[in-house]
């Protein structure tokens, strides 16, 4: 867990969010120990955990692609490149 003052968080918010790892937390606080004020947490940023991906299964995409017509005329443009 990282703690950061509100004034610094306002300046660096995009950077803080980009650097968060899944499950990591950043606490944003107000107050200053030098002024004798009590530090008070006003916000927490917590990176979302990525949901586990279901494993792929062979054949799961069968039937999702349809070929409407066979077209070999476009290959004429590439005759210089095809051996």
């Amino acid at each position: 867990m990282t703690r950061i003052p509100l004034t610094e968080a306002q300046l660096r918010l995009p950077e803080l969010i980009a650097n968060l790892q899944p499950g990591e937390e950043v606490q944003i606080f107000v107050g200053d120990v030098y002024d004798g004020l009590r530090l008070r947490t006003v916000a927490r940023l917590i990176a979302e955990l990525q949901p586990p991906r279901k494993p792929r299964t062979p054949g799961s995409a069968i039937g999702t692609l349809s070929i409407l017509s066979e077209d070999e005329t476009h290959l004429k443009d590439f005759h210089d490149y095809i051996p």
Side-chain angles (χ1 to χ4, degrees), residues 3-7 9-10 26-31 38-45:
R3 295 191 74 193
I4 188 168
L6 178 60
T7 53
Q10 288 174 326
V26 173
Q27 287 189 355
I28 301 171
F29 66 88
V30 294
R38 189 175 131 242
L39 301 178
R40 182 172 60 94
T41 299
V42 292
R44 293 184 324 172
L45 295 175

Side-chain angles (χ1 to χ4, degrees), residues 10-26:
Q10 288 174 326
L11 297 173
R12 297 181 40 212
L13 186 60
E15 176 189 341
L16 289 171
I17 292 172
N19 292 333
L20 275 178
Q21 299 299 316
E24 187 179 1
E25 177 181 331
V26 173

Side-chain angles (χ1 to χ4, degrees), residues 3-78:
R3 295 191 74 193
I4 188 168
L6 178 60
T7 53
E8 186 177 341
Q10 288 174 326
L11 297 173
R12 297 181 40 212
L13 186 60
E15 176 189 341
L16 289 171
I17 292 172
N19 292 333
L20 275 178
Q21 299 299 316
E24 187 179 1
E25 177 181 331
V26 173
Q27 287 189 355
I28 301 171
F29 66 88
V30 294
D32 191 355
V33 290
Y34 301 113
D35 291 339
L37 297 174
R38 189 175 131 242
L39 301 178
R40 182 172 60 94
T41 299
V42 292
R44 293 184 324 172
L45 295 175
I46 302 173
E48 294 273 335
L49 294 173
Q50 297 295 326
R53 192 181 76 163
K54 291 191 278 185
R56 296 181 198 155
T57 55
S60 63
I62 291 176
T64 59
L65 179 65
S66 300
I67 298 175
L68 300 177
S69 67
E70 293 292 330
D71 179 25
E72 294 189 11
T73 58
H74 69 281
L75 294 178
K76 292 177 184 174
D77 296 332
F78 298 99

